[in-house]
Amino acid sequence: MSKILIVAEHLDGKLNPSTARCVSCAQAIDGAEIHVAVLSDSPDAVAAEAAKIDGVAKVLAVANAANAHPVAQVLAPQVAKLAEGYSHVFGPSTTFGKDLMPCVAALLGVAQVSDIMAVESSHVFKRPIYAGNAIITVEAPSSMTVVATVRTASWPQAGEGGSASVEPTSVTATLPEHTRFVELKQGKSDRPDLQGAAKVISGGRAMGSPDAFKIIYSLADKMGAAVGASRAAVDAGYVPNELQVGQTGKIIAPDLYVAIGISGAIQHLTGIKDAGTIVAINKDPEAPIFEIADIGLVGDLFQIVPELEKAL
Amino acid sequence: MKILVGYKRVVDYNVRIQVKPDGSGVVTDGVKLSANPFDDIALEEALRLRDKGIATEVVVVTLGPADCQAHLRNGLAMGANRAIHVVTDQPVQPLTAARALLKLVEKEEPQIVLLGKQAIDDDANQTGQMLATLWGRPQATFASKVDATDSTALVIREVDAGLETLEVQLPAVITTDLRLNEPRFIKLPDIMKAKSKPMETINFADLGVEDGNHLKTSTYAPPAKRSRGVMVKDVAELVSALKAKGLA
């Protein structure tokens, strides 16, 4: 029987939806008992949210002032301690999980499975390599704890309606003091979160300037969509880095993805391959983005985008 | 201070890789190989810290087959002082790589280990974090700015929510994100100079690294193909196509 511990991601007292996606992945393992660990300086509100996720049997609330900010080397010894008695420890394949989970794996002396996209059995998983251009089937050693990150774009959010018990839990572990959290500068936005949005509109280098990006924001607001960008648009300074979609940015799976002025480099395509419908608008009919687009339109984006906004 | 830089050789980022028809791997014969892009950024950052007078020596390290020497010479031509080649014909998984790097760290005693945040072949994003953990030292992953003194480094990290700043005591492991810097180009005279720079060769087996606890890969498959899309001729057609799918 599999007993799975999921490390919750949270910020400002709110649970990140990636946690409920990890629960879906854990539920794909037959007969799994799923617990969620919330490590924080004040975990109560987040733990209460986690307890409502369908499929969660128990929430471990670990309160410690040292956990006020998610410093991987501080969290890892606690998670490794909590892992005792569990067959699996999962975290989301977000920057939080990618930073933390390899530390947990190293403390437990096991290899980590990165980016689980499918579960074959309790120890056999599918994961992407080479920017998603090959999918491998990997088997984790059966005698040891499975430490893994879950590719959030591959899994739906588990629903609400659960009523797990919340257990205040104390962990005895020596925590390092070699790292000081200084600050987090958040991109302020009223738009839907890029990773959870049902619709995403992205702009690329062809936008030409930060100012020109306004037509993307305007279209996104009309459609209730989140805004994303290619690496070229981020590097050119048109938008902040947290909007980057692709192999090294965010990997997303919205119902609708609209790529505007994006040529479609391999590294960008890996971030959107699982989108329900991909729409490409580009003036170059040979752009690689058209090879994976469900609907393509060749033309000048500065004409098409405002026209599209009006027509919707 | 001394900086150790991990410098992996991978299939060039522009290559469209092909899965072998029998599912035993990806085609790498005759395919262009290059430095992992994130490792070039790591090396560039180490060289800049040396240019600023913070570092005195930059050492590049590769774990790979015998023909990785040309790859290491590239790192030397870019500006590294010397190279260490750990020779192995086996693919090295992150935990083993971290254990091997720890052996070198114990021997070389660098103040900073700079690695790429991920290798673009296995996309694991693990080695730096595992090394920091085994070493018992701080980590600053996904760095987009590094300000180092003799004893600390102030690192801005690219996280999902925005930009996070950490201050870590040295020695520490830092992994690089794309926007940390723009790696320099190699000049011809530097290629000549690199030929006389020291390169140490160590057999992987001689490091005494505990192997095992590996993931076993059974099959390689191409990703699911998306079905062929349609081209529309104007916005009106686009809108009706979206409406037909219930997306507008």
Side-chain angles (χ1 to χ4, degrees), chain A residues 79-168:
Chain A
V79 176
K81 265 271 158 60
L82 290 171
E84 282 168 23
Y86 287 91
S87 57
H88 300 64
V89 186
F90 285 179
S93 192
T94 55
T95 52
F96 164 78
K98 288 174 183 174
D99 191 35
L100 170 64
M101 299 310 287
C103 305
V104 176
L107 287 171
L108 298 177
V110 299
Q112 178 192 272
V113 183
S114 293
D115 305 317
I116 294 178
M117 58 189 294
V119 169
E120 302 282 292
S121 73
S122 67
H123 286 69
V124 181
F125 309 96
K126 288 193 172 170
R127 64 169 301 255
I129 58 171
Y130 285 102
N133 287 298
I135 309 300
I136 54 172
T137 306
V138 293
E139 184 177 351
S142 58
S143 57
M144 315 184 87
T145 314
V146 179
V147 177
T149 59
V150 173
R151 184 176 181 272
T152 51
S154 299
W155 302 92
Q157 273 184 52
E160 277 187 22
S163 55
S165 60
V166 176
E167 258 180 36

Side-chain angles (χ1 to χ4, degrees), chain A residues 73 95 98-99 109 114 127 130-131 135 137 139 180 182-183 185 244 247-248 250 273 275 294 296, chain B residues 13 38 117 121-124 126 129 139 141 160 163 165 167 169 179 213 216 218-219 221 226 230 232:
Chain A
Q73 290 294 344
T95 52
K98 288 174 183 174
D99 191 35
S114 293
R127 64 169 301 255
Y130 285 102
I135 309 300
T137 306
E139 184 177 351
R180 186 172 70 88
V182 180
E183 63 170 357
K185 277 194 187 139
Q244 184 178 328
Q247 183 183 17
T248 66
K250 287 174 181 158
K273 272 186 184 145
D294 301 286
Chain B
Y13 73 100
F38 293 99
K117 77 164 176 181
D121 51 3
D122 65 14
D123 280 335
Q126 301 175 17
Q129 295 90 314
Q139 73 190 40
T141 52
D160 289 335
L163 296 172
T165 308
E167 187 184 51
Q169 287 167 22
R179 273 168 287 275
N213 310 338
K216 256 199 330 239
S218 51
T219 53
R226 295 183 72 96
V230 296
V232 294

Side-chain angles (χ1 to χ4, degrees), chain B residues 172-192:
Chain B
V173 176
I174 298 173
T175 75
T176 62
D177 216 319
L178 281 173
R179 273 168 287 275
L180 181 57
N181 61 46
E182 189 83 35
R184 65 194 66 185
F185 289 105
I186 296 170
K187 296 190 209 78
L188 188 61
D190 294 332
I191 296 174
M192 304 309 291

Side-chain angles (χ1 to χ4, degrees), chain A:
Chain A
M1 185 157 132
S2 301
K3 213 174 150 195
I4 303 178
L5 183 68
I6 294 170
V7 185
E9 175 173 4
H10 55 90
L11 180 65
D12 298 335
K14 288 201 187 68
L15 187 68
N16 187 294
S18 63
T19 309
R21 293 178 189 268
C22 289
V23 172
S24 288
C25 175
Q27 280 179 310
I29 294 171
D30 276 344
E33 183 180 330
I34 301 167
H35 297 179
V36 174
V38 178
L39 293 89
S40 169
D41 51 345
S42 56
D44 295 354
V46 175
E49 269 190 88
K52 285 191 206 134
I53 301 172
D54 259 343
V56 175
K58 196 201 283 184
V59 178
L60 310 177
V62 182
N64 187 330
N67 296 341
H69 303 287
V71 174
Q73 290 294 344
V74 170
L75 299 181
Q78 303 174 66
V79 176
K81 265 271 158 60
L82 290 171
E84 282 168 23
Y86 287 91
S87 57
H88 300 64
V89 186
F90 285 179
S93 192
T94 55
T95 52
F96 164 78
K98 288 174 183 174
D99 191 35
L100 170 64
M101 299 310 287
C103 305
V104 176
L107 287 171
L108 298 177
V110 299
Q112 178 192 272
V113 183
S114 293
D115 305 317
I116 294 178
M117 58 189 294
V119 169
E120 302 282 292
S121 73
S122 67
H123 286 69
V124 181
F125 309 96
K126 288 193 172 170
R127 64 169 301 255
I129 58 171
Y130 285 102
N133 287 298
I135 309 300
I136 54 172
T137 306
V138 293
E139 184 177 351
S142 58
S143 57
M144 315 184 87
T145 314
V146 179
V147 177
T149 59
V150 173
R151 184 176 181 272
T152 51
S154 299
W155 302 92
Q157 273 184 52
E160 277 187 22
S163 55
S165 60
V166 176
E167 258 180 36
T169 307
S170 64
V171 185
T172 321
T174 314
L175 306 183
E177 289 177 1
H178 50 44
T179 305
R180 186 172 70 88
F181 171 88
V182 180
E183 63 170 357
L184 172 65
K185 277 194 187 139
Q186 291 190 63
K188 293 266 181 293
S189 172
D190 300 331
R191 294 190 181 84
D193 177 63
L194 183 53
Q195 268 161 318
K199 295 176 182 176
V200 174
I201 318 274
S202 272
R205 193 201 306 271
M207 298 312 300
S209 73
D211 217 36
F213 235 86
K214 282 183 189 151
I215 60 170
I216 303 270
Y217 289 120
S218 178
L219 177 62
D221 290 345
K222 180 84 176 265
M223 297 180 74
V227 171
S230 69
R231 181 190 168 192
V234 175
D235 283 353
Y238 304 163
V239 292
N241 66 288
E242 65 264 23
L243 297 193
Q244 184 178 328
V245 172
Q247 183 183 17
T248 66
K250 287 174 181 158
I251 297 181
I252 56 173
D255 298 335
L256 172 65
Y257 185 78
V258 185
I260 298 172
I262 292 176
S263 62
I266 301 169
Q267 292 78 13
H268 186 76
L269 300 186
T270 189
I272 60 167
K273 272 186 184 145
D274 292 328
T277 297
I278 297 174
V279 174
I281 298 169
N282 204 300
K283 67 170 191 251
D284 174 12
E286 304 296 321
I289 189 81
F290 288 120
E291 284 168 31
I292 69 155
D294 301 286
I295 307 171
L297 175 55
V298 177
D300 178 6
L301 69 92
F302 292 103
Q303 229 171 340
I304 291 170
V305 174
E307 211 181 309
L308 179 59
E309 189 186 332
K310 226 176 277 167
L312 285 169

